[in-house]
Amino acid sequence: MNMKESSQKAVLLLADGTRFEGRALGARGVAVGEVVFHTSGTSTHQLLTTPACQGQILAFTTPLIGNCGVNEDDAQGTGVFAVGMVVRECCRVPSNFRSRQSLPDYLSQRGVVAIEGVDTRALTRHLRDKGSCRGAIVSGQADEAALLRELASPAPVPPAPRAAQPAPRPRREDFHVAVLDLGCCRDLLLGLTLRGCRVTLLAPDTPFDDIAALGPDGVLLSDGPERLTPTEGALQTARALLQSGLPLYGVDAGHQLLAVAAGCRLEPLPAGHRGPNHPVHATGGATFTTTQRHGLTVVPESVDPARAAVTHVNRNDGSVEGLRYAGCPAFSTQYLPDHRGDSTGRADAIGAFLSAMAQRKEGGLNA
Amino acid sequence: MPKRSDIRRVLVIGSGPIVIGQAAEFDYAGTQACKALHEEGLEVILINSNPATIMTDKHMADHIYVEPLNVETVQRIIRLERPDSLLPTLGGQTGLNLAMELAESGFLEREGVKLLGCNPESIKKAEDREAFRETMMSIGEPIVPSGVVETVEDAKALALQIGYPVIVRPAYTLGGTGGGIAETPEQLVEIAENGLRHSRVGQVLIERCIAGWKEIEFEAMRDASGCAITICSMENVDPVGIHTGDSIVVAPAQTLGEPELSMLHASALKIITALGIEGGCNVQFALDPDSMEYALIEVNPRLSRSSALASKATGFPIAKVATKLAVGYRLDEILNTVTGKTYACSEPAVDYVVLKFPKWPFDKFVHAQRKLGTQMKATGEVMAIATSFEGALMKSVRSAEIGCDHLWQKELETLDKDALFKVLAACDDRRIFAIAALLRRGVTVDTLFSLTKIDRFFLRKLKGLVELEGELAQGPLTDELYNRAKTFCFPDGVIERLSGCKVTPTRRASFKMVDTCAAEYDAATPYFYSTWDEQCEVSPIQHKKVLVFGSGPIRIGQGIEFDYCSVHCVWAAKRCGCDTVIVNNNPETVSTDFDTADRLYFEPLTPEDVRAIVQAEGITQAIVQFGGQTAIKLAGCLADMGVEILGTSADSIDAAEDRERFDALLKKCGIPRPAGDTVFTVQQAVEAANRLGYPVLVRPSYVLGGQGMAIAFSDEDVAEYMEIVNRTTQEHPVLIDKYLMGKEVEVDAICDGQDILIPGIMEHVERAGVHSGDSISVYPTRTISGRTKLTMVNYTAAIARELKVKGLVNIQFVVYNDEVYIIEVNPRSSRTVPYISKVTGVPMVELATRCVLGEKLSDMGYGTGLYPEGQFHAVKVPVFSFEKLHDLDTQLGPEMKSTGEVLGLAEDYRQALLKGITAAGYRNRKGDCGVLLTVRDSDKQELIPIADRIAALGYELYATAGTARLLNSNMIATNVVRKIGEGKPDILDLLDSGKIGYVISTDTKGRIPSLDSVKIRRKAVERSIPCFTSIDTADAFVSCLELDMDTAELDLVDITKL
């Protein structure tokens, strides 16, 4: 398709007044959200549908986006959670055997306002230097001055999303895992079920007694939105879980929830970690590549050695990537575990969780 | 795990001469390796037979041996230098094979030498077809159904079982030598026979043909602790079936979704882990476009052409990191010098599109078979970086220097649809242009997909480009349309030509940085590419700076030696306190390492592209004389931009190239040259030739490597050559010269505008008529009298002064009847500069650069005039890639055909010659075979004494009737052999019989594949029988045989001690 047909202008407006002009893509209208950049080139659809990206305008550093179209099988949640998308070039006629729909059609259909033709490298440099900020994609008519005023005020914290995806059934059932759903992505659930876990999805503030009543072999605290402010109920549950002796694994937002429950503080990263190439180093051990998407991080000084220990750090900036909690079979990772299992067997956090559950089961049998 | 403490002295094996399939990328890799080892305080011992490389420069290693690359020589060097380790993974397949032989024989263990970066078992697992299959099956990685056979009969049986078509791949070869796709048993027999002959271990692999699947490559790295990453994915635009070296390649992969990409990424890491590689590794996959099914094609457990590409495409210095891994470091201990903040364990993120475009030699070799397949034919490649696929393609097309500045090839555009479909079906180097031409004629993407299996994504991109051209042609040229064309990197020239509107640009391209991290971290890499974005990341260097050019893609006639010159110019300028900005587009080179110059621009070498750099950097001075003809061609436009050409001026360059001005110049200096004329048409050419008298030399002006140059003996010859010359766009006239068959002598001189320094005079073994690049070149001269040399020195001084040369000048003389004539003057660096620099110890490029920057030769400490001759004889022997180029006549002539060169160095001339000839791959058969002689009439008298000497060495002689009669009548016993068509068995059967060890075949004319003499020479190539096409070469070779020595008996020369 010819570019002329989509040559309607659109603008990305940042809270500091920076403007990036481009062409309208997807739905027309105005999208307001947190503008963040991602270095993943092929997970566009996955990210748009990930509950963790709620409220975000996703800017991709990869210049050619949507070459392989969209396949609903890849969706990480029900519906689109991101509010907008910024790309340099979006493919109109995809070419891939799995493609069911082009990305522009998908965006239009789902009402996602997007913009293309943007110098995404200039945008990335801006966000890197100034930090992620609020912004708006204006596709069509809008009062920019009013928008700027709106962008200047702090963003309302949206209600926590839930993984409306029903958990798929495993072929075999080795363990029963209770998942505290902070906005769990499908791949994480898939990672559990592929390896023999039956999953029960629970709200994050489900009281501990209710969880215990289900008799799970372990509890996973899922990923979720970046700007999650844990409710008091969720924190109470997390504290109780850390006391329970149940195997626990916290991922991403779940990692942060457990960390806070263990007395840690969070702080924003200068530019966030959002991409598939973040090297993580296990203290005294291996280094491996991980996928991440977070803007907050655990303050290393706030880790109380009596309650938790840092097990993994980011090799590049030294930020906390993993914690082990004292006195219980609990650990958490800031990065997302590879749901397919790591091919070199080095970053298999889900495997570690399974081992913890297996150990407890054995212990239980022996006792 | 820091550096291992048990490593102190490391032997590095280079890859030898440039041949198709093994080019400059290993100079890049070897140079990075040597630098990295030095950084670690290790002693480096280097062996490489290729003198044109940067890695064999004195300061790159502690001990350097430019010696034949064979097991015996490496063993002797190991015994002499006693290294404790051997780094085998940076010298291409040549280096790896040598290391494997030394390891397998137990030699390394006996001598206490450790193999770094790999172990023989892991190499075997990757390189030996059967071991590879077993390893991959054991870790559950799919491979293509196949089997290894050692006989043609077994090949046929296996193919029947697998089903045709099948691919034949010989074990342990490079560039797929001797492989091919067989559709029928007859084809299989032919290909398998050829393949078995080329395999080092006499094995070929027969596998199911999966032509049409996507071909995807990953570069992976792993350290001793097990940490493994991939550097980038690469997708061949041409699907499986065309060698990756001959494919247009895009990085990162564009048509793979997240599931496929993750799957192959995981597989690559699993494989490098299973093989236990500590360093870099290249994994090639075939991926079914319609499912998740994939199969491994090949794993290279070493640095390769693809790793050079991946390195330049991402900014990640793979060779340097691989070296550090080999000496014990972990990926997470090596700081990424690009960002200064991240570590080598971070997989690079790419925020642009990279495209590699091969450079084929078919513009020169018009009679060679152009069909692309599993055997690589490209001599070099270019790379382009842009923010779109279209932009990268447009940039790479004009970088390739193929006479095209967009997807439009004159010759194809005149064809009708049917003819174009035929070109497409022929699957040759013109395929992308044929597709564009067919799209212009309304052929659909789907049709083209069904014919080529090139992914529709790419075809649609091509269609978009063709449509944009249509819009430009239709007009009006609005700002919007202009900007859209510029976003896709259309040059203004093309926009003007298509739209018919004059373009007055209001702005130029801006530049973005290659930083390995997609701007996630604030990097300071001085590595840039152009875009049409508004934001420019370049802030001009404030210090005194100069613009230097690389020489573009490696091609026959302009090879690695020009990269050597550009890089040395940069280094010398830096030492003189001048910052350097370099522009080049060749991913295989040292010049495109981001830490060579202060700034690297990876851009096409065209006036418009250079202009944008000049503006962005505020360039006021440039040096053009080191980047070959590619850079010289930019002199005029730089002068137009107001950039001062440092050194020899653009006007002087023109004076040397323009026939009339050149004649006037010689006249003024009182220097004779062969009589000649300037013509434009066939008619004029024939008239001139008759006036001068045959034979004459026909050549276009402004050429390199003798492109389109030929000796004509008749009017028909003249007409034929004129047609070939005019096939490519010809803005310049054609030169017709009287051809003098005398001694050819070559001089490289340095001049500061006043004084000259001639480091050495070189004499060619072959008389004039064989291109200087294809001649065996000898330093110091052997048969030239002192008086003649003095004449040459005086001529050189006169010309250099008259042309006001500042820097280098290369002059070719012919000595005919004791008279010195000038054939050619090139006021620039030349092919011979690296080798003469090394053997004389005069750092020619450094001195020349200092002259260019205003210093005087008299202050440099090397004297002036002719530099004293050294005690060593240096013989440069050309190396050809004839086995890769089907139907190409091997007869040497004025048009250059060699791809690379080797050097022999010894105190005695014949010993040096023997070393050179051995390094070039010729073997002494010690009389155990026959020699076939078939020469042109004019050579027959000279053949008699040579044949006599050959017979005296115990070889049996064979010749065709005429030659045999002559020899027999001179009492030299010679067997008569039938010519082709005189009945069986004939001369070709004789060559097939295995009785013949050498061929001497000279011809008045060759080229056309249907000629008998060409068939004989091609048969010799197929049979790997050395074939001498000049009486002089044969003479030199026979004198080597007469020496009756083995290179093992000759002294090794450490050139750092010369």
Side-chain angles (χ1 to χ4, degrees):
Chain A
M1 188 182 290
N2 186 317
M3 270 198 216
K4 262 187 190 165
E5 295 167 41
S6 65
S7 58
Q8 190 191 335
K9 281 199 168 120
V11 177
L12 170 69
L13 197 61
L14 299 186
D16 63 6
T18 313
R19 284 169 57 95
F20 290 88
E21 289 186 6
R23 300 182 300 274
L25 180 70
R28 302 296 180 267
V30 178
V32 178
E34 182 85 359
V35 186
V36 297
F37 69 86
H38 264 272
T39 57
S40 163
T42 49
S43 305
T44 322
H45 175 226
Q46 285 87 333
L47 285 165
L48 288 168
T49 53
T50 295
C53 294
Q54 185 183 48
Q56 292 183 337
I57 292 175
L58 303 176
F60 291 99
T61 60
T62 303
L64 273 60
I65 293 294
N67 300 355
C68 297
V70 172
N71 183 321
E72 267 308 328
D73 292 350
D74 296 334
Q76 295 297 306
T78 305
V80 177
F81 289 88
V83 297
M85 187 181 89
V86 185
V87 297
R88 187 180 273 276
E89 180 186 327
C90 187
C91 182
R92 287 186 163 56
V93 189
S95 175
N96 187 285
F97 75 101
R98 294 181 70 252
S99 171
R100 299 289 170 268
Q101 195 177 15
S102 78
L103 184 56
D105 286 352
Y106 176 84
L107 295 170
S108 300
Q109 201 181 62
R110 302 296 172 121
V112 182
V113 180
I115 179 171
E116 72 171 331
V118 170
D119 180 349
T120 41
R121 186 171 165 91
L123 172 63
T124 302
R125 280 158 50 91
H126 186 88
L127 296 173
R128 171 194 79 202
D129 294 339
K130 306 271 165 61
S132 305
C133 64
R134 296 194 78 208
I137 301 172
V138 181
S139 178
Q141 295 299 310
D143 179 351
E144 286 191 18
L147 257 179
L148 273 177
R149 281 194 298 279
E150 186 191 331
L151 292 176
S153 59
V157 178
R162 291 288 306 274
Q165 294 253 65
R169 289 201 70 81
R171 283 210 193 135
R172 58 166 210 277
E173 189 180 319
D174 298 338
F175 304 106
H176 174 208
V177 177
V179 172
L180 292 194
D181 179 14
L182 300 161
C184 190
C185 66
R186 184 212 56 162
D187 282 352
L188 188 57
L189 294 177
L190 209 58
L192 292 172
T193 52
L194 282 175
R195 297 172 78 168
C197 298
R198 176 165 64 87
V199 168
T200 304
L201 283 172
L202 300 169
D205 52 2
T206 307
F208 173 71
D209 292 345
D210 294 0
I211 300 171
L214 293 169
D217 297 311
V219 180
L220 181 133
L221 294 86
S222 85
D223 60 325
E226 287 189 11
R227 293 192 310 129
L228 174 93
T229 324
T231 61
E232 194 44 46
L235 271 173
Q236 266 180 18
T237 301
R239 284 191 203 105
L241 282 170
L242 283 171
Q243 302 293 325
S244 70
L246 270 175
L248 306 180
Y249 176 31
V251 178
D252 184 60
H255 155 78
Q256 294 178 359
L257 176 60
L258 274 181
V260 172
C264 302
R265 275 181 294 112
L266 303 178
E267 65 181 353
L269 283 166
H273 291 164
R274 297 176 191 91
N277 62 339
H278 289 274
V280 164
H281 180 66
T283 320
T287 300
F288 47 88
T289 303
T290 65
T291 298
Q292 305 193 10
R293 37 161 204 259
H294 64 108
L296 294 176
T297 184
V298 171
V299 180
E301 296 76 27
S302 73
V303 179
D304 175 359
R307 299 171 75 182
V310 175
T311 55
H312 294 79
V313 293
N314 187 296
R315 182 57 185 113
N316 287 337
D317 62 12
S319 62
V320 176
E321 294 283 6
L323 291 169
R324 177 164 291 286
Y325 299 89
C328 56
F331 69 99
S332 61
T333 63
Q334 181 64 69
Y335 60 87
L336 301 162
D338 190 335
H339 72 276
R340 299 175 188 90
D342 182 68
S343 57
T344 58
R346 304 162 61 80
D348 193 8
I350 292 180
F353 182 46
L354 298 179
S355 306
M357 290 191 289
Q359 222 165 18
R360 179 171 175 273
K361 264 191 163 175
E362 261 171 47
L365 287 176
N366 292 344
Chain B
M1 219 184 309
K3 191 179 87 191
R4 283 164 61 168
S5 56
D6 58 342
I7 301 171
R8 295 199 199 291
R9 284 167 75 84
V10 184
L11 175 67
V12 176
I13 305 180
S15 67
I18 305 286
V19 288
I20 288 176
Q22 196 161 271
E25 64 269 19
F26 298 108
D27 191 28
Y28 138 80
T31 302
Q32 268 197 7
C34 290
K35 279 163 81 178
L37 292 171
H38 265 171
E39 248 176 53
E40 295 304 325
L42 301 171
E43 257 191 282
V44 182
I45 302 141
L46 174 68
I47 171 169
N48 192 354
S49 57
N50 185 346
T53 49
I54 294 163
M55 70 189 295
T56 52
D57 259 352
K58 270 180 190 169
H59 61 284
M60 296 310 302
D62 299 283
H63 305 279
I64 299 169
Y65 293 88
V66 181
E67 298 282 344
L69 280 170
N70 54 38
V71 170
E72 296 73 39
T73 309
V74 179
Q75 284 180 341
R76 290 174 66 204
I77 290 173
I78 288 175
R79 289 210 186 95
L80 187 70
E81 293 288 352
R82 307 239 59 94
D84 53 46
S85 315
L86 168 60
L87 185 56
T89 49
L90 293 122
Q93 197 66 44
T94 303
L96 194 61
N97 284 353
L98 275 173
M100 281 296 284
E101 286 194 46
L102 291 168
E104 280 169 4
S105 69
F107 178 84
L108 293 183
E109 204 179 340
R110 277 199 302 280
E111 299 294 323
V113 179
K114 299 176 281 284
L115 263 189
L116 301 182
C118 66
N119 57 60
E121 296 77 52
S122 68
I123 300 294
K124 188 149 191 266
K125 277 187 207 164
E127 296 264 308
D128 181 277
R129 303 291 173 185
E130 202 54 42
F132 177 68
R133 271 162 53 91
E134 275 166 27
T135 311
M136 292 307 115
M137 277 153 83
S138 73
I139 59 168
E141 287 297 326
I143 43 157
V144 187
S146 66
V148 172
V149 294
E150 293 183 349
T151 66
V152 175
E153 281 315 305
D154 288 352
K156 277 162 72 180
L158 185 63
L160 206 62
Q161 193 188 325
I162 292 171
Y164 285 94
V166 293
I167 298 185
V168 181
R169 296 174 193 271
Y172 288 100
T173 63
L174 46 100
T177 308
I181 296 175
E183 312 236 359
T184 63
E186 290 73 39
Q187 287 176 347
L188 178 66
V189 169
E190 187 190 320
I191 298 169
E193 270 180 358
N194 195 26
L196 285 168
R197 204 165 39 243
H198 276 97
S199 166
R200 182 166 77 84
V201 290
Q203 295 180 340
V204 293
L205 177 89
I206 309 287
E207 72 181 19
R208 177 177 145 204
C209 179
I210 44 169
W213 283 25
K214 292 178 187 187
E215 191 166 346
I216 309 293
E217 290 183 67
F218 272 89
E219 282 300 312
M221 299 202 83
R222 178 180 174 275
D223 66 22
S225 84
C227 177
I229 60 166
T230 66
I231 305 303
C232 80
S233 62
M234 290 170 274
E235 177 171 8
N236 289 8
V237 171
D238 304 280
V240 174
I242 292 184
H243 192 281
T244 176
D246 280 342
S247 294
I248 295 172
V249 174
V250 60
Q254 294 296 334
T255 71
L256 269 58
E258 200 275 335
E260 300 102 288
L261 215 48
S262 303
M263 173 176 77
L264 299 184
H265 181 271
S267 169
L269 295 186
K270 202 162 138 193
I271 288 163
I272 193 171
T273 303
L275 294 177
I277 290 162
E278 291 159 26
C281 170
N282 163 262
V283 187
Q284 292 175 21
F285 298 100
L287 175 67
D288 180 6
D290 298 316
S291 76
M292 296 288 280
E293 192 188 345
Y294 71 96
L296 276 158
I297 301 175
E298 190 174 300
V299 173
N300 286 307
R302 57 172 173 89
L303 294 209
S304 62
R305 181 179 44 262
S306 294
S307 49
L309 180 64
S311 190
K312 305 295 156 118
T314 58
F316 189 101
I318 294 178
K320 179 178 156 184
V321 172
T323 306
K324 301 244 166 170
L325 297 180
V327 299
Y329 285 101
R330 287 191 327 226
L331 281 165
D332 61 6
E333 290 172 331
I334 303 168
L335 191 71
N336 178 339
T337 48
V338 168
T339 60
K341 296 177 181 66
T342 59
Y343 288 82
C345 55
S346 303
E347 295 194 345
V350 166
D351 59 355
Y352 42 80
V353 178
V354 172
L355 190 130
K356 176 210 90 174
F357 196 93
K359 170 79 176 173
W360 290 283
F362 306 123
D363 48 347
K364 279 172 70 75
F365 300 151
V366 291
H367 294 294
Q369 203 190 88
R370 306 176 83 129
K371 186 176 167 61
L372 305 179
T374 54
Q375 185 159 298
M376 181 172 166
K377 293 185 174 176
T379 56
E381 61 195 37
V382 294
M383 183 183 102
I385 311 175
T387 49
S388 60
F389 175 84
E390 294 88 340
L393 181 61
M394 290 296 289
K395 279 187 181 181
S396 62
V397 163
R398 64 178 183 270
S399 294
E401 297 183 57
I402 46 177
C404 297
D405 52 9
H406 65 130
L407 284 178
W408 193 90
Q409 209 184 50
K410 184 176 151 196
E411 201 190 332
L412 292 181
E413 295 299 329
T414 57
L415 301 179
D416 63 18
K417 224 193 252 183
D418 286 344
L420 281 170
F421 277 123
K422 276 191 194 124
V423 173
L424 200 61
C427 192
D428 64 21
D429 57 303
R430 295 169 297 176
R431 144 185 175 100
I432 191 109
F433 296 98
I435 290 170
L438 284 164
L439 285 165
R440 275 184 203 106
R441 283 159 179 71
V443 175
T444 64
V445 163
D446 283 338
T447 305
L448 291 168
F449 170 73
S450 67
L451 292 172
T452 63
K453 296 287 182 256
I454 293 176
D455 196 284
R456 290 183 182 85
F457 175 83
F458 300 118
L459 293 171
R460 282 189 199 110
K461 292 283 181 198
L462 298 180
K463 185 163 181 247
L465 280 169
V466 167
E467 283 173 356
L468 182 57
E469 289 174 3
E471 280 186 70
L472 287 166
Q474 231 169 35
L477 185 60
T478 59
D479 282 355
E480 187 274 336
L481 183 57
Y482 176 73
N483 282 322
R484 200 135 52 80
K486 294 309 282 184
T487 308
F488 284 168
C489 304
F490 274 66
D492 283 343
V494 172
I495 297 175
E496 288 184 345
R497 198 181 318 133
L498 290 169
S499 68
C501 300
K502 183 94 192 87
V503 170
T504 34
T506 49
R507 68 177 173 113
R508 295 277 162 205
S510 63
F511 294 90
K512 301 235 183 259
M513 191 188 282
V514 173
D515 61 6
T516 73
C517 64
E520 182 167 2
Y521 300 92
D522 184 12
T525 357
Y527 179 3
F528 300 99
Y529 64 96
S530 69
T531 75
W532 199 245
D533 291 325
E534 273 165 38
Q535 192 182 76
C536 185
E537 295 176 28
V538 169
S539 48
I541 297 175
Q542 293 306 314
H543 192 238
K544 177 178 162 60
K545 66 200 158 198
V546 63
L547 183 62
V548 178
F549 300 94
S551 54
I554 300 279
R555 70 207 85 164
I556 289 168
Q558 187 165 301
I560 185 176
E561 52 282 345
F562 293 97
D563 203 61
Y564 169 96
C565 293
S566 298
V567 168
H568 274 274
C569 171
V570 162
W571 287 342
K574 274 191 193 176
R575 275 195 295 274
C576 293
C578 199
D579 278 1
T580 50
V581 176
I582 197 162
V583 193
N584 201 3
N585 50 38
N586 183 342
E588 310 172 303
T589 55
V590 177
S591 66
T592 51
D593 263 357
F594 62 79
D595 57 359
T596 294
D598 296 290
R599 292 267 167 99
L600 164 65
Y601 285 83
F602 215 104
E603 286 290 304
L605 289 158
T606 75
E608 183 182 331
D609 295 290
V610 169
R611 186 185 289 269
I613 297 163
V614 164
Q615 291 198 347
E617 284 284 356
I619 297 285
T620 56
Q621 296 180 319
I623 301 176
V624 297
Q625 58 178 276
F626 298 108
Q629 205 67 28
T630 302
I632 291 283
K633 276 196 284 190
L634 292 166
C637 77
L638 283 164
D640 292 345
M641 292 172 210
V643 174
E644 182 190 356
I645 306 292
L646 296 184
T648 314
S649 70
D651 183 60
S652 293
I653 294 167
D654 185 65
E657 304 266 5
D658 181 284
R659 165 53 60 102
E660 279 174 34
R661 293 185 63 187
F662 185 58
D663 280 349
L665 177 86
L666 290 182
K667 209 166 185 180
K668 193 172 167 197
C669 300
I671 301 171
R673 65 173 302 278
D677 215 340
T678 306
V679 300
F680 285 91
T681 66
V682 178
Q683 180 66 27
Q684 288 171 342
V686 169
E687 280 168 23
N690 282 296
R691 195 163 53 245
L692 296 165
Y694 286 102
V696 294
L697 193 64
V698 186
R699 60 182 167 145
S701 51
Y702 282 99
V703 295
L704 51 101
Q707 190 163 322
M709 196 189 285
I711 296 168
F713 294 87
S714 65
D715 292 358
E716 292 75 49
D717 287 354
V718 171
E720 185 195 334
Y721 300 137
M722 287 297 285
E723 192 269 323
I724 294 172
V725 167
N726 285 325
R727 201 174 286 178
T728 47
T729 327
Q730 194 58 39
E731 296 162 26
H732 303 290
V734 175
L735 310 179
I736 308 268
D737 289 327
K738 174 74 191 155
Y739 165 54
L740 303 175
M741 194 166 165
K743 197 85 191 159
E744 202 167 318
V745 180
E746 193 167 349
V747 161
D748 283 304
I750 309 156
C751 185
D752 60 12
Q754 191 57 45
D755 289 323
I756 61 159
L757 171 64
I758 299 177
I761 299 178
M762 296 153 274
E763 175 181 342
H764 293 178
V765 163
E766 291 83 0
R767 273 162 283 185
V770 172
H771 189 276
S772 61
D774 287 349
S775 305
I776 297 177
S777 165
V778 181
Y779 164 85
T781 56
R782 296 179 53 244
T783 67
I784 308 295
S785 70
R787 189 178 59 82
T788 307
K789 280 196 222 176
L790 189 63
T791 307
M792 290 177 191
V793 172
N794 290 338
Y795 284 178
T796 304
I799 290 213
R801 256 179 230 127
E802 197 55 44
L803 282 175
K804 300 185 193 70
V805 169
K806 268 194 191 168
L808 287 172
V809 61
N810 167 270
I811 304 180
Q812 290 173 28
F813 299 98
V814 61
V815 183
Y816 186 70
N817 290 341
D818 259 350
E819 184 87 41
V820 178
Y821 297 86
I822 280 196
I823 324 180
E824 211 176 298
V825 173
N826 299 303
R828 56 166 169 84
S829 66
S830 76
R831 191 172 304 111
T832 41
V833 164
Y835 119 73
I836 283 296
S837 298
K838 273 165 212 184
V839 299
T840 61
V842 178
M844 295 176 68
V845 179
E846 183 190 332
L847 302 190
T849 303
R850 286 164 67 185
C851 288
V852 163
L853 293 172
E855 290 187 45
K856 289 284 162 209
L857 272 172
S858 52
D859 300 332
M860 296 181 197
Y862 289 88
T864 57
L866 183 59
Y867 192 72
E869 287 173 2
Q871 67 183 102
F872 281 92
H873 289 263
V875 178
K876 187 208 81 177
V877 181
V879 173
F880 303 87
S881 301
F882 289 139
E883 69 276 14
K884 314 273 167 51
L885 297 165
H886 292 181
D887 290 351
L888 173 65
D889 185 14
T890 68
Q891 168 79 54
L892 299 184
E895 176 162 274
M896 185 167 161
K897 291 180 176 172
S898 61
T899 50
E901 64 196 38
V902 290
L903 188 70
L905 210 53
E907 287 192 56
D908 172 74
Y909 162 66
R910 285 202 301 176
Q911 292 185 3
L913 183 62
L914 175 63
K915 273 192 185 176
I917 276 185
T918 308
Y922 300 96
R923 222 156 50 88
N924 185 346
R925 299 282 302 261
K926 309 207 174 190
D928 73 345
C929 59
V931 177
L932 175 66
L933 312 166
T934 154
V935 300
R936 60 186 171 202
D937 288 342
S938 56
D939 285 336
K940 286 214 163 103
Q941 287 307 316
E942 289 187 45
L943 179 69
I944 296 169
I946 293 173
D948 197 19
R949 287 158 63 201
I950 297 173
L953 288 165
Y955 292 92
E956 193 159 353
L957 302 184
Y958 295 84
T960 45
T963 311
R965 199 177 313 122
L966 175 76
L967 293 177
N968 282 321
S969 68
N970 278 280
M971 307 304 287
I972 304 164
T974 309
N975 301 299
V976 182
V977 50
R978 288 196 192 98
K979 287 185 178 166
I980 300 166
E982 289 180 352
K984 294 262 170 183
D986 63 12
I987 198 162
L988 295 181
D989 299 313
L990 177 67
L991 288 166
D992 273 332
S993 72
K995 281 186 201 156
I996 299 298
Y998 307 105
V999 175
I1000 299 175
S1001 166
T1002 71
D1003 207 344
T1004 47
K1005 60 183 284 184
R1007 305 177 309 279
I1008 298 165
S1010 57
L1011 286 175
D1012 285 357
S1013 60
V1014 180
K1015 282 187 190 153
I1016 292 166
R1017 290 189 285 268
R1018 284 311 309 181
K1019 179 60 98 177
V1021 170
E1022 282 163 30
R1023 288 268 153 200
S1024 308
I1025 303 168
C1027 176
F1028 303 98
T1029 65
S1030 150
I1031 283 288
D1032 299 319
T1033 322
D1035 184 10
F1037 184 71
V1038 171
S1039 65
C1040 269
L1041 295 180
E1042 286 168 343
L1043 188 61
D1044 194 28
M1045 282 177 91
D1046 195 78
T1047 45
E1049 301 166 58
L1050 306 180
D1051 288 341
L1052 296 168
V1053 182
D1054 178 352
I1055 66 164
T1056 61
K1057 295 191 181 126
L1058 281 187

